[in-house]
Amino acid sequence: MGKCVILCAGEIGGDILPLEQDDLLIAADGGYTHTEQLGLTPHIVLGDFDSLGYVPEGAQVHPKEKDDTDAMLAVKLGLSKGYKEFYIYGGMDGPRVDHTMANFQLLHYLSEHGAKGYLIGVHQIATVITGNLEFPPEQTGTVSVFCLGQEALVDIEGLKYSLKDGLLQPSFPLGVSNQFIGEKGKITVKKGTVLVIWEK
């Protein structure tokens, strides 16, 4: 099965990953504008359309007063169709930090449901892991690791600051602003769940 690509209303900073035949493209509310700008036809358009301001033809309309964000509606739909790999654009660089935080939780939701999710911003990418995450030697810039939940036991290898059985806690940002150093980087979560954010 291919990947599920979700376009939200925030900035996307250019093109998205090339779409293959088995991929599912979902426009969540204002994300529909991006599909028009990119010349793409989404398979599904959904949301309450408070951001877009109008309802596209054939869209799935949801009430404004609901528990799920439009992005979460898209994620749940993708999961229901069997997708296990999600790429979410326009969900990190919008004007509201609360929606960015909601999308970090969305990544956590995907992880808990056996799927991989990547929140792709203009300058950074974020994901949530409970196992391993590797980076190639050519990766540059910074990478940060944050604990989600009570605490996380983590190994960090091949980066400027290494950890062996390092204890990350939600009340202290020990894992912020690590750096790639031209080696193969690896983050291993032995216990718990972490949010990883790195430069594109």
Side-chain angles (χ1 to χ4, degrees):
M1 178 167 279
K3 59 186 178 289
C4 180
V5 177
I6 299 170
L7 298 181
C8 302
E11 294 182 55
I12 62 171
D15 292 332
I16 66 172
L17 286 171
L19 296 172
E20 307 294 337
Q21 184 175 358
D22 293 338
D23 294 343
L24 177 66
L25 177 61
I26 303 176
D29 199 327
Y32 182 71
T33 301
H34 297 311
T35 65
E36 292 182 313
Q37 293 170 345
L38 294 170
L40 300 172
T41 301
H43 299 102
I44 299 169
V45 183
L46 56 73
D48 55 28
F49 299 103
D50 59 348
S51 297
L52 188 61
Y54 68 95
V55 178
E57 185 178 353
Q60 297 182 15
V61 182
H62 295 263
K64 292 181 179 180
E65 295 181 356
K66 58 187 186 305
D67 292 335
D68 291 328
T69 63
D70 293 330
M72 181 61 86
L73 289 172
V75 159
K76 288 183 173 180
L77 182 58
L79 285 171
S80 73
K81 292 182 176 295
Y83 287 87
K84 295 295 184 182
E85 193 169 347
F86 289 75
Y87 294 85
I88 303 157
Y89 293 84
M92 193 186 296
D93 299 285
R96 291 180 55 181
V97 69
D98 54 341
H99 274 288
T100 301
M101 187 62 196
N103 289 329
F104 289 155
Q105 291 187 319
L106 182 152
L107 294 176
H108 198 171
Y109 181 89
L110 283 168
S111 177
E112 289 182 335
H113 286 78
K116 293 181 180 179
Y118 300 93
L119 187 61
I120 303 176
V122 174
H123 303 292
Q124 296 176 306
I125 300 173
T127 192
V128 166
I129 61 169
T130 57
N132 299 328
L133 181 62
E134 297 184 358
F135 296 94
E138 59 268 22
Q139 182 74 41
T140 60
T142 61
V143 56
S144 298
V145 184
F146 300 101
C147 173
L148 296 178
Q150 296 298 315
E151 60 185 25
L153 191 65
V154 178
D155 288 351
I156 297 177
E157 307 168 71
L159 302 178
K160 183 175 181 179
Y161 305 106
S162 61
L163 277 178
K164 180 64 177 177
D165 293 330
L167 189 63
L168 299 184
Q169 298 178 328
S171 58
F172 185 70
L174 177 65
V176 72
S177 294
N178 210 328
Q179 297 177 24
F180 296 104
I181 55 174
E183 299 179 9
K184 181 179 178 180
K186 186 176 181 180
I187 299 168
T188 303
V189 182
K190 297 181 174 179
K191 174 188 174 183
T193 304
V194 300
L195 169 69
V196 185
I197 305 173
W198 67 97
E199 292 183 57
K200 288 175 71 172

